[in-house]
Amino acid sequence: DAGVIQSPRHEVTEMGQEVTLRCKPISGHDYLFWYRQTMMRGLELLIYFNNNVPIDDSGMPEDRFSAKMPNASFSTLKIQPSEPRDSAVYFCASTLMANTGELFFGEGSRLTVL
Amino acid sequence: DAKTTQPNSMESNEEEPVHLPCNHSTISGTDYIHWYRQLPSQGPEYVIHGLTSNVNNRMASLAIAEDRKSSTLILHRATLRDAAVYYCILRARETSGSRLTFGEGTQLTVNP
């Protein structure tokens, strides 16, 4: 299995631009998570989905952030408009409901907003 | 989520055992203890988890205190590749789909 696949791995953009991060979870997994990691705040859970339905988006920082999961094999995290404080590494992770503990993380998307 | 306390950093020598402690004095009876690690420039990686009994797998061992208020992750022979940030996390059993809250973790340095 290829694992959780994220794209792009690196993105540099200017303030005000729209950013879209993509994630392909492991086939058959029914939970998908978006995390953000910064030096100041560590790893934060932004939102998670179960069977493509958003369950908890309380970690989404503000309305500029949105996430979708149109099908079981694809999710996007969108920032519009982006700001320098959004610079971080964004991780996607997936797991199976029956799984008692193992989250599988992607390699992350490093976002720099100038 | 109940809180865990870990040392900010630890050092070890290559090929020696490493004991990474974690305190979780407010753990509830149904909380699982999870350990993840994050190598440089990578996403977190599952290491091991347990509830009450000690656990072993190919990566490590997890020793859980009898009162469950602390646990220790044991790497039996550290290698340079084990240098990473190690996170001790509590997950409520009723929490859906392994929703995990990460703390600051312990930065492990392995000296050659």
Side-chain angles (χ1 to χ4, degrees), chain B residues 1-43:
Chain B
D1 296 326
K3 184 176 171 55
T4 63
T5 304
Q6 300 177 253
N8 288 334
S9 62
M10 289 186 65
E11 265 190 65
S12 174
N13 296 320
E14 201 175 7
E15 298 191 4
E16 290 185 357
V18 181
H19 291 233
L20 296 163
C22 181
N23 287 320
H24 28 79
S25 59
T26 60
I27 191 170
S28 77
T30 57
D31 285 343
Y32 285 90
I33 302 160
H34 290 255
W35 284 83
Y36 279 72
R37 71 179 185 181
Q38 188 173 18
L39 279 64
S41 301
Q42 294 190 25

Side-chain angles (χ1 to χ4, degrees), chain A:
Chain A
D1 198 323
V4 175
I5 299 172
Q6 293 186 244
S7 64
R9 291 295 313 279
H10 302 273
E11 173 130 358
V12 180
T13 191
E14 293 190 346
M15 184 173 63
Q17 297 298 305
E18 178 179 294
V19 173
T20 300
L21 307 178
R22 298 171 178 81
C23 175
K24 176 177 166 54
I26 292 174
S27 176
H29 282 187
D30 54 358
Y31 278 84
L32 183 140
F33 301 79
W34 282 99
Y35 282 85
R36 177 174 68 175
Q37 186 171 35
T38 61
M39 288 293 292
M40 292 291 292
R41 301 174 68 92
L43 268 163
E44 303 173 276
L45 177 63
L46 300 178
I47 186 172
Y48 74 96
F49 296 83
N50 176 220
N51 291 324
N52 314 337
V53 176
I55 302 301
D56 183 354
D57 65 354
S58 60
M60 295 286 262
E62 47 196 275
D63 292 346
R64 298 185 297 106
F65 285 69
S66 62
K68 294 182 179 179
M69 193 164 184
N71 57 63
S73 59
F74 184 65
S75 177
T76 59
L77 179 67
K78 187 174 292 187
I79 309 172
Q80 167 63 20
S82 58
E83 296 183 3
R85 59 190 167 128
D86 302 330
S87 298
V89 181
Y90 291 81
F91 289 103
C92 177
S94 71
T95 192
L96 191 59
M97 172 61 176
N99 195 329
T100 57
E102 188 168 357
L103 266 185
F104 295 83
F105 281 80
E107 294 189 335
S109 294
R110 180 176 294 277
L111 173 65
T112 302
V113 183
L114 303 175

